[in-house]
Coordinates of all heavy atoms in Angstrom, one line a residue:
R25 N -1.3 25.3 9.6 CA -0.1 25.3 8.8 C -0.4 24.6 7.5 O -0.9 23.5 7.4 CB 1.0 24.5 9.5 CG 1.5 25.1 10.8 CD 2.7 24.4 11.3 NE 3.1 24.9 12.6 CZ 4.0 25.8 12.9 NH1 4.6 26.4 11.8 NH2 4.3 26.2 14.1
V26 N -0.2 25.4 6.4 CA -0.5 25.0 5.1 C 0.7 24.9 4.2 O 1.5 25.9 4.2 CB -1.6 25.9 4.4 CG1 -2.0 25.4 3.0 CG2 -2.8 26.1 5.3
A27 N 1.0 23.8 3.5 CA 2.1 23.7 2.7 C 1.7 23.0 1.4 O 0.7 22.2 1.4 CB 3.2 22.9 3.4
G28 N 2.5 23.3 0.3 CA 2.2 22.6 -0.9 C 1.6 23.6 -1.9 O 1.9 24.7 -2.0
E29 N 0.7 23.0 -2.7 CA 0.0 23.8 -3.8 C -1.4 24.0 -3.4 O -2.1 23.0 -3.1 CB 0.1 23.0 -5.1 CG 1.6 22.7 -5.5 CD 1.7 21.9 -6.8 OE1 0.6 21.5 -7.3 OE2 2.8 21.5 -7.1
V30 N -1.9 25.2 -3.5 CA -3.3 25.5 -3.3 C -3.9 26.0 -4.6 O -3.6 27.1 -5.1 CB -3.5 26.6 -2.2 CG1 -5.0 26.8 -1.9 CG2 -2.7 26.2 -0.9
D31 N -4.6 25.0 -5.2 CA -5.2 25.3 -6.6 C -6.7 24.8 -6.6 O -7.2 24.5 -5.5 CB -4.4 24.6 -7.6 CG -4.2 23.1 -7.4 OD1 -5.0 22.5 -6.7 OD2 -3.2 22.6 -8.0
M32 N -7.3 24.6 -7.7 CA -8.6 24.2 -7.8 C -8.9 22.8 -7.2 O -9.9 22.6 -6.6 CB -9.1 24.1 -9.3 CG -9.8 25.3 -9.8 SD -10.3 25.2 -11.5 CE -10.7 23.6 -11.8
L33 N -7.9 21.9 -7.3 CA -8.1 20.6 -6.7 C -7.9 20.6 -5.2 O -8.5 19.7 -4.5 CB -7.1 19.6 -7.4 CG -7.3 19.4 -8.9 CD1 -6.2 18.5 -9.4 CD2 -8.7 18.8 -9.1
T34 N -7.0 21.4 -4.7 CA -6.7 21.3 -3.2 C -7.4 22.4 -2.4 O -7.4 22.3 -1.2 CB -5.2 21.4 -3.0 OG1 -4.7 22.7 -3.6 CG2 -4.5 20.3 -3.7
S35 N -7.9 23.5 -3.0 CA -8.5 24.5 -2.2 C -9.7 24.0 -1.3 O -9.9 24.5 -0.2 CB -9.0 25.7 -3.1 OG -9.9 25.3 -4.0
P36 N -10.4 23.0 -1.8 CA -11.5 22.4 -0.8 C -10.9 21.9 0.5 O -11.5 22.0 1.5 CB -12.1 21.3 -1.6 CG -12.0 21.7 -3.1 CD -10.6 22.4 -3.1
M37 N -9.6 21.3 0.4 CA -9.0 20.9 1.6 C -8.6 22.0 2.5 O -8.6 21.9 3.7 CB -7.7 20.0 1.2 CG -8.1 18.7 0.6 SD -6.7 17.8 0.1 CE -6.8 17.9 -1.7
L38 N -8.2 23.1 1.9 CA -7.9 24.3 2.7 C -9.2 24.8 3.4 O -9.2 25.1 4.5 CB -7.3 25.4 1.8 CG -7.0 26.8 2.5 CD1 -6.2 26.6 3.7 CD2 -6.4 27.8 1.5
R39 N -10.3 24.8 2.6 CA -11.5 25.3 3.2 C -11.9 24.4 4.4 O -12.4 24.8 5.4 CB -12.6 25.3 2.1 CG -12.5 26.4 1.2 CD -13.7 26.3 0.1 NE -13.6 27.5 -0.8 CZ -13.0 27.5 -1.9 NH1 -12.4 26.4 -2.4 NH2 -13.0 28.6 -2.7
D40 N -11.7 23.0 4.2 CA -12.0 22.1 5.3 C -11.2 22.3 6.5 O -11.6 22.3 7.6 CB -11.9 20.6 4.8 CG -12.9 20.2 3.8 OD1 -14.0 20.9 3.6 OD2 -12.7 19.2 3.1
G41 N -9.9 22.6 6.2 CA -8.9 22.9 7.3 C -9.3 24.1 8.1 O -9.3 24.1 9.3
V42 N -9.8 25.1 7.4 CA -10.2 26.4 8.0 C -11.5 26.1 8.9 O -11.6 26.5 10.0 CB -10.5 27.5 7.0 CG1 -11.2 28.7 7.6 CG2 -9.2 28.0 6.4
A43 N -12.4 25.3 8.3 CA -13.6 25.0 9.0 C -13.3 24.2 10.3 O -13.9 24.5 11.3 CB -14.6 24.2 8.1
D44 N -12.4 23.2 10.2 CA -12.0 22.5 11.4 C -11.3 23.3 12.4 O -11.6 23.2 13.6 CB -11.0 21.3 11.0 CG -11.7 20.3 10.1 OD1 -12.9 20.2 10.0 OD2 -10.9 19.4 9.5
A45 N -10.5 24.3 12.0 CA -9.8 25.2 12.9 C -10.9 26.1 13.6 O -10.8 26.3 14.8 CB -8.8 26.0 12.2
L46 N -11.8 26.6 12.8 CA -12.8 27.5 13.4 C -13.8 26.8 14.3 O -14.4 27.4 15.2 CB -13.6 28.2 12.3 CG -12.7 29.3 11.6 CD1 -13.5 29.9 10.4 CD2 -12.4 30.5 12.5
A47 N -14.0 25.5 14.1 CA -14.8 24.7 14.9 C -14.3 24.6 16.3 O -15.1 24.3 17.3 CB -15.0 23.3 14.3
L48 N -13.0 24.9 16.5 CA -12.4 24.9 17.9 C -12.8 26.2 18.6 O -12.4 26.4 19.7 CB -10.9 24.7 17.8 CG -10.4 23.4 17.1 CD1 -8.9 23.4 16.9 CD2 -10.9 22.2 18.0
E49 N -13.5 27.1 17.9 CA -13.9 28.4 18.4 C -12.8 29.3 19.0 O -12.9 29.8 20.1 CB -15.0 28.2 19.5 CG -16.2 27.5 19.0 CD -17.3 27.3 20.0 OE1 -17.2 27.7 21.2 OE2 -18.4 26.7 19.6
P50 N -11.8 29.5 18.2 CA -10.6 30.3 18.6 C -11.0 31.8 18.6 O -11.9 32.2 17.8 CB -9.5 30.0 17.6 CG -10.3 29.7 16.4 CD -11.5 29.0 16.8
R51 N -10.4 32.6 19.3 CA -10.5 34.0 19.2 C -9.5 34.5 18.1 O -9.8 35.6 17.5 CB -10.2 34.7 20.5 CG -11.2 34.5 21.6 CD -10.9 35.2 22.9 NE -9.6 34.9 23.4 CZ -9.2 33.9 24.2 NH1 -10.1 32.9 24.4 NH2 -8.0 33.7 24.6

Side-chain angles (χ1 to χ4, degrees):
R25 294 187 188 269
V26 184
E29 300 174 3
V30 185
D31 56 23
M32 265 179 34
L33 295 175
T34 60
S35 60
M37 290 178 250
L38 174 57
R39 287 181 177 92
D40 290 346
V42 168
D44 291 347
L46 288 173
L48 300 173
E49 300 182 358
R51 292 182 306 278

